[in-house]
């Protein structure tokens, strides 16, 4: 009827067992145990007896009606299956009632599933068979490689319950998530999966569970980008409530006890006592032995050495004196009575107390109290800030007679157990130092908490460009082993990110860190003598010292000096009366002077004209006179004298790009992502890089920033970003020079520019690191390339694939058509077409190769009327014909004129007679024009026309008459012949 219900199967097994084993002995209570069948549709079930081993006895108890499925027991109780009633747990045991707990991890408890797979983001196969969660006694630890390790546990709840556990998550180089899948395989919201990082203590986490089936998942994946060691995730004390009941109580583990019946949990044994498993009381350690709290055994007390005490300076007494004092490290575990044990040194002589820290003053009781608001001090007496200044509020610690109230020290064990030692850092007058530890692998931590930050009144109106806060400390380390000294900053002491780390001995030096977010309110210094596992203390003399700590602009801080008010106009409620914008106050006079043109005022510069800092090339100061900006426009004079105009506004929006992929040892692929905000005025949007591995979500802002991106499907995200830092938060200048303010951008980093020089934007970051003591910097080369249609074709140097060759200066090449100068008339030429049918077209084309974009556009094609070649040909032929006819007519005219002159000459000769030496007299007037009656009868000699013309032109005199020589008789004879001819014609 039912689909194979569990209770029918148990009944059939019981009947079969009873029939086939009639010859076996009768079963005793120790030979079997009771179990419930699955609940049926009515919520009822059966209790059946199940043999512990097969074929050992017969005659098992008959099945009986079980309790209702909704039945449960309270805390400290268990269900007695024989009586089917809840009973209290005995002493030395405990029970959660409707829950289960897992606090012993010698082996993986039953029900937990442990497996590891290759990360999907990796391109190379990896062996992940050994990359699973590992039991370590009190806790279970995760893997530290790039495999994805998952620890899961399935539980069926009869009613809504909870799951709680404690975890230690110190390193954000590991993805750590916890999520739950229910009956419908629905997982926890991805945002709530994120675990917050912790630094020194275990964090407790609790989630509500719904009734029904629940599968719990703890999943980690590490990534070691630089090959450095990664700290694993630890989990302990997993407790689940909401199950129906537990049929047995659990024994207290060693080091714990339960003194009364019905205990829901076991209590840890106090120090100097111990207990075994299932103990109801803790036993006192014997003489010359000791035990830490929660110990399962006692240890022999070692002989006291100079590593078991430390020195400190006592607070100032009422007489204003202090003395050097020695104290045993608490809790004291060494013995002074053992042979060769050292004694505690005597205290030193009393000395006069040093002054209080800056911003404090000495009271009548020799105690140090902070100055009132508006006052400052050098540690002795408070003074009111003079007119035109304001107090520089912060904390500055350089005298260490007492530990400041906002600082504390503690110890964390490498095995993440609890250390009973109470002192990690101790004051010593001129410095604070690390005391000898119980174990050389202990983490000695000093934490400074601040309530927040606030800019001075004179800088509030330009909060975007002003420095929020800065912490500076002076330290040194003295080590004989591989010690490490680290500085961390974050939201709190359990959620800090490592800023810088030093290894080995370091001489006395200063380190400064720029605080860019008001969420950074906790700073931690950690010193570890060695990571070498050993059972004895070898390096207790290794120590770290901090001489001074100075943090600025702290809310509720004190003032050690006063600052001139020269950055903005004062508000009515402000006691500071500043100089106008762009002015500085002459030191000691209260007189305001104007800064030179295009300079800005930096608050960290000396008082006076030196506070005015000149803006870099092609940048202008902002409205608040506190920084320089670029409006994305630039004019460049070429070597040929031409002026090029640039407008980079299309590139001003924040642009992001990835470096080429890089791979870890196990094939995990990752990128360096850069975000660039090239230029812009007051309201520009800065480039932002974020960290989304943990719930803190730290972000940095500036002109250029970098983060590390790992493609992954972990937490249902496509990418995971971490390790953000600023490359440049201040623009230094814009120029074509390859060197500006000690920032170099050599040409050999990139292929040479084809025609135009590159325009380079230079940036600087005020955040310093141990490797970059002058801060990071960046240079972005803008190269004209009209063939690039997209805006974000940005590349890194081929020989520096991460963008930097020295780790401090980053270089970028940005090819774009928007990086070209604006086009002008000089960038195009005109082409005039032939005249076709009386129409002529003029077309404009770009000069090639084209080296401009935007600006003036190409003029439109123009059309004009014109005269064709056929017309001019016809006109020429007609004109030539008319000229030829006119020439012929002129020739004929002159020919006739010559004939007349020749005739006149002949008559003159005839009339002259035969006297050769006498000229003839004129017998009549010259024939006037029109007297041509006899012209037709004139008979000329047979000379050619051109010969006659030549002779005519040669023989004519200046008076208009022909000159003919009269000399030979032949000529006379010729005339006579002509006369006879004339007579002949007349006759």
């Amino acid at each position: 009827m039912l689909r194979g219900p569990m209770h029918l199967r148990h009944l059939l097994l019981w009947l079969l067992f009873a029939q086939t084993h009639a010859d076996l002995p009768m079963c005793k209570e120790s030979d079997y145990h009771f179990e419930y069948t699955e609940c049926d549709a009515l919520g009822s079930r059966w209790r059946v007896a199940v043999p512990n081993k097969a074929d050992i006895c017969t005659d098992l108890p008959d099945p009986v009606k079980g309790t209702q499925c909704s039945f449960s027991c309270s805390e400290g109780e268990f269900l007695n299956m024989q009586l089917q009633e809840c009973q209290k747990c005995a002493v030395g045991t405990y029970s959660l009632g409707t829950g289960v707990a897992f606090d012993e991890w010698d082996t993986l408890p039953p029900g937990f599933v442990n497996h590891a797979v290759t990360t999907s983001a990796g391109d190379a196969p990896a062996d992940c068979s050994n990359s699973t969660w590992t039991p370590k006694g009190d806790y279970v630890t995760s893997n530290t490689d790039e495999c994805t390790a998952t620890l899961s546990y399935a539980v069926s709840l009869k009613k809504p319950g909870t799951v709680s556990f404690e975890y230690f998550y110190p390193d954000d180089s590991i993805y750590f998530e916890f999520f739950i899948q229910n009956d419908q395989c629905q997982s926890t919201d991805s945002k709530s999966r994120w675990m917050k990082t912790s630094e020194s203590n275990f964090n407790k986490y609790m989630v509500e569970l719904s009734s029904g089936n629940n599968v719990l998942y703890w999943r980690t994946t590490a990534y070691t980008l630089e090959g450095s060691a990664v700290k694993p995730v630890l989990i302990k004390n997993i407790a689940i409530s909401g199950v129906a009941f537990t049929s047995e109580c659990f024994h207290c583990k060693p080091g714990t006890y339960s003194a009364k019946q019905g205990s829901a949990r076991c209590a840890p044994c106090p120090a100097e006592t111990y207990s075994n498993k299932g103990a109801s009381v803790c036993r006192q350690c014997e003489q010359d032995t000791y035990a830490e709290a929660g110990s399962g055994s006692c240890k022999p007390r070692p002989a006291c050495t100079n590593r078991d005490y430390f020195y400190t300076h006592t607070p100032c007494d009422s007489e204003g004196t202090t003395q050097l004092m020695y104290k045993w490290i608490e809790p004291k575990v060494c013995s002074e009575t053992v042979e060769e044990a050292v004694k505690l040194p005597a205290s030193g002589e009393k000395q006069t107390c040093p002054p209080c820290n800056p911003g404090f003053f000495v009271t009548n009781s020799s105690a140090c109290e902070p100055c009132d608001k508006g006052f400052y001090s050098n540690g002795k007496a408070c003074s009111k800030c003079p007119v035109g200044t304001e107090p520089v509020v912060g904390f500055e610690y350089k005298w260490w007679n007492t530990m400041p109230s906002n600082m504390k020290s503690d110890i964390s064990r490498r095995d993440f157990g609890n250390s009973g030692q109470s002192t990690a850092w101790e004051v010593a007058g001129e410095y604070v130092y690390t005391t000898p530890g119980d174990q050389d692998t202990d983490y000695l931590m000093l934490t400074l908490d601040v309530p927040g930050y606030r800019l001075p009144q004179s800088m509030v109106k330009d909060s975007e460009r002003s420095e929020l806060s800065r912490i500076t400390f002076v330290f040194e380390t003295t080590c004989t082993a591989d010690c490490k000294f680290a500085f961390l900053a974050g939201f709190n002491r359990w959620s800090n990110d490592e800023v810088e780390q030093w290894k080995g001995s370091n001489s006395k030096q200063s380190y400064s860190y720029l605080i860019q977010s008001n969420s950074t309110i906790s700073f931690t210094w950690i010193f570890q003598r060695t990571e070498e596992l050993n059972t004895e203390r070898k390096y207790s003399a290794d120590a770290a010292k901090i001489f001074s700590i100075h943090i600025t602009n702290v809310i509720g801080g004190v003032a050690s000096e006063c600052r001139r008010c020269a950055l903005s106009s004062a508000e009515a409620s402000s006691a500071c009366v500043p100089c106008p914008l762009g002015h500085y106050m002459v030191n000691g006079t209260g007189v305001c002077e104007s800064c030179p043109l295009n300079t800005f005022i930096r608050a960290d510069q000396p008082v006076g004209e030196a506070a005015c800092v000149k803006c870099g090339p092609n940048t202008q100061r902002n409205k608040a006179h506190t920084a320089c900006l670029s409006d994305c426009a630039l004019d460049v004079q070429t070597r040929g004298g031409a002026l090029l105009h640039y407008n980079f506004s299309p590139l001003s929006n924040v642009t992001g790009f990835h470096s080429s992929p890089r791979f870890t040892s196990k094939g995990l692929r990752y990128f360096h992502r850069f975000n660039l905000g090239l230029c812009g005025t007051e309201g520009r949007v800065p480039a932002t890089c974020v960290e989304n591995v943990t719930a803190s979500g730290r972000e940095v802002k500036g002109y250029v920033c970098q983060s590390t991106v790992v493609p992954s499907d972990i937490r249902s995200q496509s990418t995971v970003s971490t390790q953000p830092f600023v490359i440049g938060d201040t623009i230094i200048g814009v120029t074509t020079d390859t060197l500006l303010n000690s920032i170099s951008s050599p040409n050999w980093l990139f292929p040479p520019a084809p025609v135009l020089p590159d325009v380079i934007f230079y940036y600087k970051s005020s955040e310093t690191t141990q490797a970059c003591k002058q801060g990071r910097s960046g240079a972005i080369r803008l190269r004209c390339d009209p063939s690039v249609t997209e805006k974000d074709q940005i590349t890194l140097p081929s020989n520096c694939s991460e963008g930097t060759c020295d780790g401090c200066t980053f270089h970028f090449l940005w090819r774009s058509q928007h990086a070209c100068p604006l086009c002008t008339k000089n960038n195009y030429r005109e082409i005039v077409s032939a005249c076709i049918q009386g129409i002529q077209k003029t077309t404009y084309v770009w000069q090639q190769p084209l080296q401009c974009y935007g600006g003036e556009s190409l003029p439109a094609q123009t059309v004009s009327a014109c005269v064709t070649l056929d017309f001019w040909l016809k006109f020429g032929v007609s004109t030539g014909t008319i000229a030829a006819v006119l020439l012929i007519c002129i020739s004929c005219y002159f020919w006739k004129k010559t004939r007349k002159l020749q005739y006149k000459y002949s008559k003159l000769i005839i009339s002259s007679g035969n006297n050769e030496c006498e000229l003839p007299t004129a017998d009549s007037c010259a024939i006037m024009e029109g007297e041509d009656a006899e012209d037709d009868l004139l008979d000329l000699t047979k000379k050619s026309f051109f010969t006659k013309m030549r002779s005519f032109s040669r023989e004519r005199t200046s008076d208009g008459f022909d000159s003919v020589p009269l000399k030979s008789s032949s000529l006379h004879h010729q005339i006579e012949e002509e006369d006879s001819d004339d007579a002949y014609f007349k006759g």
Side-chain angles (χ1 to χ4, degrees), residues 25 38 67 75 78 176 212 236 255 258 334 466 525 555 732 855 986:
E38 293 290 339
T67 60
E75 287 186 348
F78 74 100
F176 176 41
K236 67 177 184 177
S258 63
C334 66
S466 301
W525 293 266
I555 297 176
I732 303 300
K986 291 178 181 178

Side-chain angles (χ1 to χ4, degrees), residues 554-630:
V554 179
I555 297 176
V558 294
S560 60
E561 60 180 344
C562 296
R563 183 204 316 267
R564 73 208 178 304
C565 303
L567 301 184
S568 66
S569 59
E571 297 180 1
S573 60
S574 174
C576 177
V577 181
C579 291
L581 292 177
H583 291 67
Y584 63 93
M585 186 172 295
V586 179
N587 190 20
T589 65
V591 178
C592 295
E593 294 287 344
S594 175
C595 281
L597 184 64
N598 204 31
T599 60
F600 67 99
I601 297 177
R602 283 178 55 179
D604 57 350
Q605 294 296 315
V607 177
E609 188 175 1
C612 302
V613 181
K614 185 174 179 57
C615 288
N618 297 298
T619 61
Q620 305 82 33
R621 66 185 177 192
N622 60 357
K623 295 178 181 179
H625 295 71
T626 57
C628 295
L629 302 173
S630 170

